[in-house]
Amino acid sequence: MVELVDARKQKIDKDAAWAMLQSARSVTIAKGKKFIRFAPAEDGREAVLKQAMGPSGNLRAPTYRVGDDYVIGFNADLYSDWVK
């Protein structure tokens, strides 16, 4: 199933973001040339959301979910490895 959400029209705040991310197996967050992997069950709400939320207080874009994994933000090297 594919779900597409336009982040300009539907904002995802901290509570909604955590509701999505808390049950994920992994959350990988890219910022520039770096990326960080989290296991939400182990790393906790504050650590994950501190990196996942943008300056406007909404979930950073783009955000992709595949199975139990999320990828947030853009990093070309991460995307290349992820789609292999």
Side-chain angles (χ1 to χ4, degrees):
M1 179 174 132
V2 175
E3 179 182 359
L4 180 63
V5 175
D6 187 339
R8 291 171 294 188
K9 296 179 182 175
Q10 182 179 346
K11 303 299 182 187
I12 300 174
D13 65 11
K14 279 187 173 189
D15 292 333
W18 184 245
M20 289 177 9
L21 301 174
Q22 69 183 341
S23 61
R25 180 179 59 178
S26 73
V27 176
T28 304
I29 302 170
K31 286 189 174 182
K33 295 184 180 198
K34 300 187 295 182
F35 59 89
I36 305 167
R37 283 200 173 89
F38 293 95
E42 297 170 15
D43 295 315
R45 176 184 167 109
E46 293 307 314
V48 174
L49 292 181
K50 181 177 180 183
Q51 298 299 318
M53 304 307 290
S56 65
N58 296 304
L59 184 63
R60 294 179 60 234
T63 297
Y64 297 101
R65 176 182 174 204
V66 176
D68 292 335
D69 301 315
Y70 282 86
V71 175
I72 300 171
F74 180 80
N75 177 295
D77 294 332
L78 170 64
Y79 282 13
S80 294
D81 289 341
W82 186 50
V83 296
K84 284 182 183 180

